[in-house]
Amino acid sequence: GASKRGILIKGSNYLEALADADVVVFDKTGTLTQGVFVVTAVHPSVVDETELLHLAAHVERFSTHPIAAALRDAYPDSDDGCEVKDRQEIAGQGITAQVCGRSIAVGNLRLMETVGAVALTCEHDVGTVIHVAIDGQYAGHVVISDQVKEDSAEAISAMRSEGVRRVVMLTGDGEEVAREVADRLGLDEYHAELLPADKVEQVERLISEKGKGESLAFVGDGINDAPVLARADVGIAMGAIGSDAAIEAADVVLMDDKPSKIATAIRIARRTLRIARQNIVFAIAIKVAVLVLAAFGLVSMWLAVFADVGVMVLAVLNATRALR
């Protein structure tokens, strides 16, 4: 029944954990937002706008990250003869490389500190800020924005209707971007500027705070989300744009990347368990009743057959309701 709706659940134990989901934790990019970034502002410091985009695009030329794609789209003329070598990706910070003999660093404020560049105060643009340094000197920053998915607000509302008590967002983006998304969607809490290891720590904390009989679900799509997906009680990956590592680590995969499907998955899980409990109670009640009657010699062969085969057939027929 779940697979018909584009929801792949990898095992019955994950179905049970999904039914008990009380806390749902989201990654932001590609999960609550579309993951399609565009450059919305360029603020150069020592070079002009074209040169700043030119250098950033070359450094990010071979990256598969959505932010890298936005930088390449903003400067599509990558075949301009510039040589890029010694490319190095620093987890949670950004990328450094040699472009036409100059040392270029493209990433967040942590990377600027690493290369010794002093970043200037950012303009008040809402979006992800990508800083650029040339030979250790700060050269400016590029603002890249993402759009919230159309059904993200609907997803949060539907999950609350299903009894989810707490909705949390974890992101590596800046405080301002995270706050804007959290306020728009009405999330209970958010945590920004997190490294992959920080996300694991936050999930560990949330798991320690949940009550008995409750479970925590984490929803993500990137390769950096794989450790958190594996650590959560039930990991949910976005299948269409999600990385192979995230899909492999997840327990549930949403094939069309709609966050509203999470509430559907919880509803299916809870309905399935209700039907299973109905079957258990019905089967045991009938068998106990027949055993009591048999003790007084009041059971015929046909009643005994019903208590065995008949109960099984009725349980199977009742279970087929989960398909609807």
Side-chain angles (χ1 to χ4, degrees), residues 56-69:
H58 275 300
V59 171
E60 300 280 3
R61 181 188 298 178
F62 303 108
S63 175
T64 59
H65 195 282
I67 287 179

Side-chain angles (χ1 to χ4, degrees), residues 45-312:
S45 177
V46 296
V47 293
D48 59 27
E49 292 186 10
T50 302
E51 182 65 9
L52 191 69
L53 287 173
H54 160 241
L55 295 172
H58 275 300
V59 171
E60 300 280 3
R61 181 188 298 178
F62 303 108
S63 175
T64 59
H65 195 282
I67 287 179
L71 290 171
R72 291 195 300 269
D73 290 342
Y75 188 83
D77 187 17
S78 59
D79 298 327
D80 56 4
C82 275
E83 182 185 15
V84 180
K85 60 181 182 179
D86 298 335
R87 185 178 178 277
Q88 181 180 5
E89 186 165 349
I90 303 174
Q93 296 187 18
I95 300 176
T96 62
Q98 294 287 327
V99 180
C100 296
R102 290 183 291 179
S103 178
I104 310 298
V106 179
N108 56 23
L109 288 173
R110 292 191 185 96
L111 182 61
M112 296 299 103
E113 293 174 0
T114 300
V115 300
V118 179
L120 302 179
T121 303
C122 297
E123 301 289 335
H124 295 290
D125 296 295
V126 176
T128 300
V129 178
I130 305 300
H131 299 275
V132 181
I134 303 174
D135 294 327
Q137 180 183 6
Y138 188 71
H141 61 270
V142 180
V143 181
I144 297 175
S145 298
D146 191 8
Q147 300 297 314
V148 173
K149 289 183 179 178
E150 293 181 359
D151 66 338
S152 288
E154 175 191 342
I156 304 301
S157 176
M159 281 188 289
R160 295 196 191 281
S161 299
E162 291 298 326
V164 174
R165 174 178 56 86
R166 194 174 180 187
V167 183
V168 183
M169 182 181 73
L170 306 179
T171 178
D173 286 349
E175 174 74 20
E176 186 178 352
V177 177
R179 182 173 60 251
E180 194 263 342
V181 173
D183 291 344
R184 182 186 301 184
L185 299 179
L187 305 182
D188 295 304
E189 63 181 272
Y190 69 91
H191 301 275
E193 300 180 5
L194 300 178
L195 296 172
D198 298 329
K199 291 183 180 181
V200 176
E201 289 180 6
Q202 289 291 341
V203 167
E204 293 279 6
R205 176 184 62 82
L206 292 167
I207 288 176
S208 68
E209 294 175 357
K210 65 185 178 67
K212 185 178 180 180
E214 299 175 346
S215 65
L216 179 144
F218 180 84
V219 189
D221 73 307
I223 189 170
N224 289 335
D225 296 326
V228 200
L229 288 165
R231 179 61 188 91
D233 295 320
V234 55
I236 304 174
M238 297 293 179
I241 64 172
S243 70
D244 291 343
I247 293 171
E248 181 67 25
D251 310 311
V252 178
V253 181
L254 306 182
M255 301 312 297
D256 57 5
D257 292 342
K258 292 182 178 179
S260 56
K261 287 292 181 68
I262 298 169
T264 303
I266 294 173
R267 185 162 57 249
I268 289 172
R270 291 177 177 172
R271 175 177 170 81
T272 302
L273 291 185
R274 281 199 302 269
I275 292 172
R277 294 188 186 104
Q278 290 169 8
N279 283 344
I280 291 169
V281 172
F282 170 72
I284 292 177
I286 294 297
K287 290 179 183 293
V288 168
V290 171
L291 282 173
V292 171
L293 292 174
F296 294 97
L298 301 176
V299 177
S300 66
M301 178 62 73
W302 288 113
L303 190 57
V305 170
F306 172 76
D308 184 19
V309 180
V311 166
M312 182 271 291

